[in-house]
mmCIF file of all heavy atoms in Angstrom:
data_model
loop_
_atom_site.group_PDB
_atom_site.id
_atom_site.type_symbol
_atom_site.label_atom_id
_atom_site.label_comp_id
_atom_site.label_asym_id
_atom_site.label_seq_id
_atom_site.Cartn_x
_atom_site.Cartn_y
_atom_site.Cartn_z
ATOM 1 N N MET A 306 -104.411 15.567 -11.177
ATOM 2 C CA MET A 306 -103.849 14.782 -12.270
ATOM 3 C C MET A 306 -104.917 13.938 -13.000
ATOM 4 O O MET A 306 -104.593 13.234 -13.942
ATOM 5 C CB MET A 306 -102.749 13.862 -11.719
ATOM 6 C CG MET A 306 -101.629 14.650 -11.053
ATOM 7 S SD MET A 306 -100.374 13.611 -10.334
ATOM 8 C CE MET A 306 -99.354 13.387 -11.812
ATOM 9 N N LYS A 307 -106.173 14.027 -12.527
ATOM 10 C CA LYS A 307 -107.297 13.310 -13.143
ATOM 11 C C LYS A 307 -107.061 11.817 -13.221
ATOM 12 O O LYS A 307 -107.466 11.137 -14.158
ATOM 13 C CB LYS A 307 -107.594 13.846 -14.548
ATOM 14 C CG LYS A 307 -107.795 15.359 -14.601
ATOM 15 C CD LYS A 307 -109.004 15.786 -13.850
ATOM 16 C CE LYS A 307 -109.243 17.282 -14.055
ATOM 17 N NZ LYS A 307 -109.907 17.903 -12.959
ATOM 18 N N GLY A 308 -106.422 11.255 -12.185
ATOM 19 C CA GLY A 308 -106.135 9.830 -12.129
ATOM 20 C C GLY A 308 -106.941 9.125 -11.086
ATOM 21 O O GLY A 308 -107.942 9.651 -10.570
ATOM 22 N N GLU A 309 -106.471 7.953 -10.724
ATOM 23 C CA GLU A 309 -107.124 7.102 -9.719
ATOM 24 C C GLU A 309 -106.057 6.508 -8.805
ATOM 25 O O GLU A 309 -104.949 6.237 -9.267
ATOM 26 C CB GLU A 309 -107.874 5.934 -10.353
ATOM 27 C CG GLU A 309 -108.980 6.323 -11.293
ATOM 28 C CD GLU A 309 -109.583 5.097 -11.993
ATOM 29 O OE1 GLU A 309 -109.163 3.960 -11.693
ATOM 30 O OE2 GLU A 309 -110.473 5.289 -12.809
ATOM 31 N N ILE A 310 -106.384 6.320 -7.569
ATOM 32 C CA ILE A 310 -105.479 5.661 -6.614
ATOM 33 C C ILE A 310 -106.279 4.617 -5.857
ATOM 34 O O ILE A 310 -107.420 4.869 -5.457
ATOM 35 C CB ILE A 310 -104.784 6.663 -5.680
ATOM 36 C CG1 ILE A 310 -103.750 5.956 -4.792
ATOM 37 C CG2 ILE A 310 -105.764 7.452 -4.869
ATOM 38 C CD1 ILE A 310 -102.841 6.866 -3.998
ATOM 39 N N SER A 311 -105.682 3.461 -5.672
ATOM 40 C CA SER A 311 -106.327 2.416 -4.870
ATOM 41 C C SER A 311 -105.230 1.703 -4.071
ATOM 42 O O SER A 311 -104.043 1.922 -4.287
ATOM 43 C CB SER A 311 -107.079 1.426 -5.760
ATOM 44 O OG SER A 311 -106.200 0.791 -6.660
ATOM 45 N N VAL A 312 -105.659 0.888 -3.151
ATOM 46 C CA VAL A 312 -104.698 0.203 -2.271
ATOM 47 C C VAL A 312 -105.113 -1.257 -2.130
ATOM 48 O O VAL A 312 -106.288 -1.613 -2.105
ATOM 49 C CB VAL A 312 -104.596 0.895 -0.895
ATOM 50 C CG1 VAL A 312 -105.922 0.864 -0.188
ATOM 51 C CG2 VAL A 312 -103.504 0.326 -0.062
ATOM 52 N N GLU A 313 -104.101 -2.122 -2.095
ATOM 53 C CA GLU A 313 -104.316 -3.540 -1.828
ATOM 54 C C GLU A 313 -103.408 -3.900 -0.660
ATOM 55 O O GLU A 313 -102.235 -3.510 -0.655
ATOM 56 C CB GLU A 313 -103.942 -4.374 -3.044
ATOM 57 C CG GLU A 313 -104.837 -4.155 -4.236
ATOM 58 C CD GLU A 313 -104.375 -4.939 -5.466
ATOM 59 O OE1 GLU A 313 -103.359 -5.630 -5.418
ATOM 60 O OE2 GLU A 313 -105.057 -4.825 -6.510
ATOM 61 N N SER A 314 -103.938 -4.628 0.306
ATOM 62 C CA SER A 314 -103.150 -4.960 1.474
ATOM 63 C C SER A 314 -103.309 -6.440 1.789
ATOM 64 O O SER A 314 -104.417 -6.978 1.746
ATOM 65 C CB SER A 314 -103.604 -4.118 2.679
ATOM 66 O OG SER A 314 -102.780 -4.356 3.770
ATOM 67 N N ASN A 315 -102.198 -7.071 2.089
ATOM 68 C CA ASN A 315 -102.167 -8.471 2.444
ATOM 69 C C ASN A 315 -101.218 -8.624 3.631
ATOM 70 O O ASN A 315 -100.078 -8.178 3.555
ATOM 71 C CB ASN A 315 -101.698 -9.309 1.246
ATOM 72 C CG ASN A 315 -101.701 -10.780 1.513
ATOM 73 O OD1 ASN A 315 -101.113 -11.257 2.479
ATOM 74 N ND2 ASN A 315 -102.359 -11.529 0.653
ATOM 75 N N GLN A 316 -101.684 -9.261 4.643
ATOM 76 C CA GLN A 316 -100.886 -9.348 5.888
ATOM 77 C C GLN A 316 -99.535 -10.019 5.625
ATOM 78 O O GLN A 316 -98.540 -9.620 6.205
ATOM 79 C CB GLN A 316 -101.668 -10.120 6.965
ATOM 80 C CG GLN A 316 -100.993 -10.040 8.296
ATOM 81 C CD GLN A 316 -101.890 -10.552 9.409
ATOM 82 O OE1 GLN A 316 -102.990 -11.051 9.166
ATOM 83 N NE2 GLN A 316 -101.453 -10.491 10.646
ATOM 84 N N GLU A 317 -99.460 -10.988 4.760
ATOM 85 C CA GLU A 317 -98.190 -11.672 4.507
ATOM 86 C C GLU A 317 -97.291 -10.939 3.529
ATOM 87 O O GLU A 317 -96.085 -11.075 3.524
ATOM 88 C CB GLU A 317 -98.444 -13.097 3.972
ATOM 89 C CG GLU A 317 -99.005 -14.049 4.986
ATOM 90 C CD GLU A 317 -100.534 -14.000 5.035
ATOM 91 O OE1 GLU A 317 -101.168 -13.753 3.987
ATOM 92 O OE2 GLU A 317 -101.105 -14.190 6.130
ATOM 93 N N GLN A 318 -97.905 -10.140 2.603
ATOM 94 C CA GLN A 318 -97.129 -9.527 1.541
ATOM 95 C C GLN A 318 -96.993 -8.017 1.637
ATOM 96 O O GLN A 318 -96.252 -7.411 0.884
ATOM 97 C CB GLN A 318 -97.786 -9.866 0.199
ATOM 98 C CG GLN A 318 -97.745 -11.357 -0.125
ATOM 99 C CD GLN A 318 -98.445 -11.684 -1.416
ATOM 100 O OE1 GLN A 318 -99.257 -10.924 -1.911
ATOM 101 N NE2 GLN A 318 -98.102 -12.824 -1.968
ATOM 102 N N GLY A 319 -97.678 -7.379 2.567
ATOM 103 C CA GLY A 319 -97.593 -5.934 2.712
ATOM 104 C C GLY A 319 -98.674 -5.195 1.977
ATOM 105 O O GLY A 319 -99.691 -5.753 1.625
ATOM 106 N N THR A 320 -98.410 -3.911 1.683
ATOM 107 C CA THR A 320 -99.388 -3.026 1.092
ATOM 108 C C THR A 320 -98.856 -2.486 -0.224
ATOM 109 O O THR A 320 -97.700 -2.130 -0.343
ATOM 110 C CB THR A 320 -99.714 -1.866 2.050
ATOM 111 O OG1 THR A 320 -100.194 -2.407 3.273
ATOM 112 C CG2 THR A 320 -100.750 -0.921 1.470
ATOM 113 N N THR A 321 -99.767 -2.427 -1.236
ATOM 114 C CA THR A 321 -99.410 -1.894 -2.549
ATOM 115 C C THR A 321 -100.384 -0.782 -2.878
ATOM 116 O O THR A 321 -101.610 -0.950 -2.762
ATOM 117 C CB THR A 321 -99.523 -2.962 -3.626
ATOM 118 O OG1 THR A 321 -98.641 -4.041 -3.256
ATOM 119 C CG2 THR A 321 -99.161 -2.438 -4.983
ATOM 120 N N PHE A 322 -99.832 0.367 -3.272
ATOM 121 C CA PHE A 322 -100.676 1.473 -3.763
ATOM 122 C C PHE A 322 -100.611 1.439 -5.291
ATOM 123 O O PHE A 322 -99.527 1.373 -5.872
ATOM 124 C CB PHE A 322 -100.156 2.814 -3.236
ATOM 125 C CG PHE A 322 -100.413 3.004 -1.779
ATOM 126 C CD1 PHE A 322 -99.513 2.578 -0.826
ATOM 127 C CD2 PHE A 322 -101.589 3.622 -1.349
ATOM 128 C CE1 PHE A 322 -99.747 2.746 0.530
ATOM 129 C CE2 PHE A 322 -101.847 3.779 0.020
ATOM 130 C CZ PHE A 322 -100.926 3.328 0.928
ATOM 131 N N ILE A 323 -101.758 1.533 -5.916
ATOM 132 C CA ILE A 323 -101.865 1.504 -7.372
ATOM 133 C C ILE A 323 -102.357 2.876 -7.839
ATOM 134 O O ILE A 323 -103.416 3.311 -7.417
ATOM 135 C CB ILE A 323 -102.836 0.395 -7.846
ATOM 136 C CG1 ILE A 323 -102.296 -0.965 -7.339
ATOM 137 C CG2 ILE A 323 -102.976 0.422 -9.348
ATOM 138 C CD1 ILE A 323 -103.361 -1.983 -7.168
ATOM 139 N N ILE A 324 -101.542 3.534 -8.636
ATOM 140 C CA ILE A 324 -101.879 4.862 -9.172
ATOM 141 C C ILE A 324 -102.003 4.737 -10.667
ATOM 142 O O ILE A 324 -101.091 4.278 -11.341
ATOM 143 C CB ILE A 324 -100.811 5.893 -8.785
ATOM 144 C CG1 ILE A 324 -100.756 6.033 -7.257
ATOM 145 C CG2 ILE A 324 -101.110 7.225 -9.435
ATOM 146 C CD1 ILE A 324 -99.612 6.916 -6.771
ATOM 147 N N ARG A 325 -103.155 5.139 -11.177
ATOM 148 C CA ARG A 325 -103.413 5.123 -12.638
ATOM 149 C C ARG A 325 -103.615 6.577 -13.100
ATOM 150 O O ARG A 325 -104.445 7.285 -12.562
ATOM 151 C CB ARG A 325 -104.644 4.302 -12.943
ATOM 152 C CG ARG A 325 -104.454 2.829 -12.660
ATOM 153 C CD ARG A 325 -105.726 2.040 -13.074
ATOM 154 N NE ARG A 325 -105.521 0.641 -12.820
ATOM 155 C CZ ARG A 325 -105.850 0.018 -11.689
ATOM 156 N NH1 ARG A 325 -106.441 0.702 -10.712
ATOM 157 N NH2 ARG A 325 -105.651 -1.263 -11.510
ATOM 158 N N LEU A 326 -102.799 6.958 -14.077
ATOM 159 C CA LEU A 326 -102.888 8.322 -14.611
ATOM 160 C C LEU A 326 -103.253 8.263 -16.078
ATOM 161 O O LEU A 326 -102.833 7.352 -16.794
ATOM 162 C CB LEU A 326 -101.541 9.014 -14.441
ATOM 163 C CG LEU A 326 -101.047 9.185 -12.996
ATOM 164 C CD1 LEU A 326 -99.646 9.749 -12.977
ATOM 165 C CD2 LEU A 326 -101.981 10.027 -12.196
ATOM 166 N N PRO A 327 -104.025 9.224 -16.548
ATOM 167 C CA PRO A 327 -104.391 9.241 -17.975
ATOM 168 C C PRO A 327 -103.163 9.556 -18.833
ATOM 169 O O PRO A 327 -102.235 10.226 -18.421
ATOM 170 C CB PRO A 327 -105.438 10.370 -18.061
ATOM 171 C CG PRO A 327 -105.166 11.221 -16.886
ATOM 172 C CD PRO A 327 -104.587 10.358 -15.805
ATOM 173 N N ASN A 328 -103.189 9.031 -20.067
ATOM 174 C CA ASN A 328 -102.139 9.324 -21.021
ATOM 175 C C ASN A 328 -102.287 10.738 -21.532
ATOM 176 O O ASN A 328 -103.392 11.211 -21.755
ATOM 177 C CB ASN A 328 -102.200 8.332 -22.209
ATOM 178 C CG ASN A 328 -101.822 6.926 -21.795
ATOM 179 O OD1 ASN A 328 -101.082 6.757 -20.851
ATOM 180 N ND2 ASN A 328 -102.304 5.971 -22.505
ATOM 181 N N GLY A 329 -101.136 11.333 -21.765
ATOM 182 C CA GLY A 329 -101.111 12.640 -22.430
ATOM 183 C C GLY A 329 -101.561 13.737 -21.628
ATOM 184 O O GLY A 329 -101.791 14.820 -21.758
#
Side-chain angles (χ1 to χ4, degrees):
M306 302 178 85
K307 307 296 186 208
E309 299 175 2
I310 185 170
S311 60
V312 62
E313 295 176 358
S314 185
N315 182 306
Q316 190 169 3
E317 290 88 31
Q318 297 178 339
T320 301
T321 302
F322 288 89
I323 301 154
I324 297 174
R325 293 183 179 92
L326 300 174
N328 290 334

